[in-house]
Every structure is written in structure tokens, then in C-alpha cells.
Amino acid sequence: MSTQHETRDADARAIDALRKELGDEVVLLGHHYQHQDIVDHCDFLGDSLELSRKAANVAARHIVFCGVYFMAESAALLARADQAVHLPEPDADCVMALMTPAVLLDHILTRLTSTGRRLIPLAYVNTFMDVKAVVGRHGGAVCTSANAEQMLRWALKEGDGVLFLPDKNLGQNTARTLGLADTDIHLLDIRKRGEALDLAAANKASLLCWPGLCAIHARFTADQVNAARAADPSCRIVVHPECSPEVAQAADAAGSTSFIIDFVRSAPAGAHIVIGTEGNLVRRLERQYADRVKIDPLLFSTCSHMAKVTPAKLRNSLEQIRKGTAAPVSVPELDAAPARATLERMLEVCA
Ligand code: 13P
């Protein structure tokens, strides 16, 4: 056995022992994109929406969140005051979330609403607390890929326009599903600290999209979808809506990570499914359903930030909790209150 395997097994045994010792004090939540070595220890696995709901309802005093920073921060916003949320690796970030600086968003929203327009900001959950706080102060809400349609419908009714951020792909894919025409959608030019905005074009559109994207899903192309179909015309192709509109339209279906799991679960025996999302989830589904369906990645694309949560980091996090030296995710109340309101609004609208 290699040293790497020995270390991994020692970490796994230590995690099991710590969990036994900590008992009901700790609950482990994990996102579907986590590596199997982490998933094996999780009490609950879910997509962003399911994890937000779970975080708002668990009894344990310590929530160890195996995912990336914005997810743990959202859990911390929804947790009770006597609960602590821990991220085993605080540097596990999200490239897309980093594409929206809060100050720039506030400036742009102020410019776009200076005419008196009631523009509702709708933030994908892949944003940091300070951005959610700006969204909250401007009367907006959060959405996830699982409820983007419902939330966009809500936001379009609430105001006379919506600013969807940061994912231009999820924004455009959702708008198309709701039947918005291309002329209803405007991609914002956020350069020059917001001074490059085309205000006339923005005023005419009902949906304004921030120009962010997910680096992992941006690797999927319509050519890959066409090549997969050419290789096996009977295959079914399912992708995450963070893929470009060209990819989402060329595929058979697009939906959240839980949607993709259900798509595989309900496929007929013998089906061949090609999946365009993060590689850890695709590999897990491939192993789980190996006796029933054939699964291929559209392209093997992994999230290096999700991968920062390792068994060694998880073990360390649990050790710190046991010793009472852990530093939980902090949510200073000034931003926490308006940011929490955006998450609560989502949970209410989608109750
Ligand atoms: P889900 O909401 O589908 O779990 O996706 C979260 C995410 O960040 C995908 O990149």
C-alpha cells in the first residue's frame, strides 16, 4: 500500500473516532462536488438549495460544511445564534463569486436605478455575504440553480426589471426557459468601475445579466455535445445550467446537481448518459449506477477549490472543535442582517 493510501486511511479512522467522540454535537454537510473520501463521512449530501434548507434546520451545535466558502457562509447566516459553522479549508473559494465585488455592484445598482426604475437584484447563491447584503438593501433575493426559474419569475413580478448576478449563463438559460426573448436580455458591461454601462440599452431590457461565469462549466462546449451525439446518437446529454446557453440548448436537459442525479436515477436500464458538470459528481454517479446505465463525462472538469477540502483538513477541523480552538465562519451583523434576509426571502418564496 502506498504512503498516500496509508495517510488517507489513518485520516479516515481518526475522523470516525472524532465523530464518535463528538456525537450529536457535530453534523457534517457536503456538496455533491466533494471527493468521495469526504462524501463517505457526510451525514447529508445535497445541492446548494438542499444544503441551505438543511443548515437552517439541523440541531447540532457544530456544522462542518464540506464545500466552498460561500456555501459555509450561507449556512452560517441561516444557522441559530448558538451554532457554529466550520469550513475545513477557509481558502476553498469560488471563482465565480469572486467576479462580483460588493462596492462595484452597489455602484452599478445605484446608477441603474437613478431614473427611479424598480430593478430587483437576484443573486445566485454563489456570492459572498457583502454582495448578498447589497442585494438585500436593494430589495432583492438569492436563488440557486434548483430554484432559479421560480425566483426569476418572482423577481420579474416584484419590479420592472431584474439584475441577475453573477452567472450570465444561469441568468440567460433561466430567462430562455421562462420564454424571455433575446431582446429582453442585456449583458452588462461592468468595466471602468461601472462607467462603461450602456444605460440606454440597460433601460430597455427586462433582464440585466452580470458577466460572471463558472470556470469549471465554461470548459464545456456545443462541439463536445455534438461530438458525443455523433459517437452515440442514442445517448442522453444532461448539463448544469452554469454551462453556456449554446451547450444547454444542445443538451437534452439542464438542471442543478440534484436534478442531474435524479436524471440518472430515473433513466431506463441500459441508457447511455453523458454529463456536463463537475467531475467528482460524474465519477460518483458512474460508480453508483455502473450495473444499470453507462455514464460518461462530457469532459472531465474538476473544481480545484472544492478539492481543497481533504480528509486531513476535515480531521483537523474536528480536532479543533474537540479542543475548543476552532475558528468558525464569522458573519458580522452589519452585513449579516440584510444578507440573511435575501436567503430567507428565497426560502419563503420556495417553501
Ligand atoms: P448546485 O446548486 O446545482 O448544487 O450547484 C452549485 C454550484 O456551485 C455549481 O457550480
Side-chain angles (χ1 to χ4, degrees):
M1 209 194 296
S2 73
T3 319
Q4 206 184 356
H5 277 125
E6 281 167 15
T7 310
R8 202 188 57 194
D9 291 348
D11 285 335
R13 280 194 302 275
I15 292 167
D16 288 343
L18 283 158
R19 297 236 35 208
K20 219 178 229 169
E21 196 181 332
L22 291 161
D24 294 345
E25 283 281 281
V26 170
V27 69
L28 259 68
L29 307 186
H31 187 265
H32 291 308
Y33 290 162
Q34 288 289 295
H35 192 274
Q36 191 62 40
D37 288 347
I38 295 296
V39 167
D40 287 342
H41 296 287
C42 289
D43 298 302
F44 183 83
L45 202 60
D47 68 11
S48 308
L49 178 60
E50 292 161 340
L51 292 170
S52 298
R53 286 196 171 123
K54 196 76 188 169
N57 283 303
V58 293
R61 238 173 57 68
H62 297 278
I63 300 172
V64 179
F65 203 106
C66 299
V68 291
Y69 192 82
F70 76 81
M71 294 180 176
E73 198 180 53
S74 299
L77 286 167
L78 292 168
R80 295 188 315 265
D82 64 334
Q83 285 177 312
V85 177
H86 309 266
L87 181 64
E89 171 49 72
D91 277 344
D93 232 316
C94 169
V95 173
M96 187 205 291
L98 290 162
M99 292 176 185
T100 320
V103 173
L104 181 59
L105 173 65
D106 198 26
H107 176 62
I108 284 182
L109 271 168
T110 304
R111 285 200 73 200
L112 290 168
T113 53
S114 61
T115 52
R117 185 178 192 191
R118 175 131 172 83
L119 192 64
I120 305 294
L122 183 59
Y124 192 23
V125 68
N126 301 38
T127 40
F128 299 118
M129 180 175 64
D130 57 351
V131 168
K132 289 188 178 85
V134 171
V135 169
R137 289 184 191 110
H138 284 264
V142 163
C143 74
T144 74
S145 58
N147 63 20
E149 278 172 49
Q150 198 176 351
M151 290 308 298
L152 181 54
R153 215 176 279 123
W154 167 85
L156 286 166
K157 264 197 215 137
E158 278 291 296
D160 50 32
V162 175
L163 195 171
F164 191 96
L165 64 134
D167 190 355
K168 64 175 180 177
N169 291 332
L170 181 62
Q172 291 176 94
N173 286 327
T174 310
R176 285 186 183 180
T177 312
L178 293 190
L180 268 74
D182 285 352
T183 47
D184 294 328
I185 306 169
H186 174 71
L187 191 60
L188 293 173
D189 186 341
I190 59 168
R191 292 173 300 169
K192 300 186 181 160
R193 298 182 185 175
E195 297 309 309
L197 288 178
D198 181 344
L199 289 173
N203 274 331
K204 278 191 224 142
S206 50
L207 177 68
L208 312 180
C209 290
W210 196 266
L213 50 73
C214 165
I216 285 83
H217 289 92
R219 296 184 187 125
F220 301 114
T221 64
D223 283 350
Q224 291 160 3
V225 174
N226 296 335
R229 267 200 219 292
D232 176 7
S234 72
C235 75
R236 303 268 294 146
I237 302 170
V238 59
V239 301
H240 197 278
E242 289 178 13
C243 291
S244 71
E246 295 70 35
V247 171
Q249 270 159 40
D252 295 297
S256 75
T257 49
S258 288
F259 173 91
I260 292 171
I261 294 168
D262 283 343
F263 189 92
V264 172
R265 204 180 280 144
S266 57
H272 176 200
I273 304 168
V274 179
I275 306 178
T277 195
E278 207 273 344
N280 276 310
L281 173 57
V282 183
R283 288 282 185 253
R284 185 167 325 115
L285 289 170
E286 204 178 339
R287 283 193 299 274
Q288 240 176 323
Y289 293 93
D291 59 336
R292 226 172 44 77
V293 290
K294 175 170 155 47
I295 291 177
D296 282 312
L298 186 55
L299 170 86
F300 190 64
S301 178
T302 56
C303 176
S304 56
H305 282 287
M306 283 279 177
K308 286 181 180 174
V309 178
T310 60
K313 300 264 169 66
L314 176 55
R315 173 184 180 170
N316 181 54
S317 202
L318 292 168
E319 273 165 359
Q320 302 293 330
I321 292 171
R322 187 193 48 173
K323 285 193 261 173
T325 53
V329 174
S330 82
V331 286
E333 206 46 35
L334 186 65
D335 274 348
R340 186 177 297 117
T342 65
L343 284 159
E344 288 172 348
R345 202 162 286 145
M346 170 186 78
L347 294 175
E348 264 164 45
V349 174
C350 301

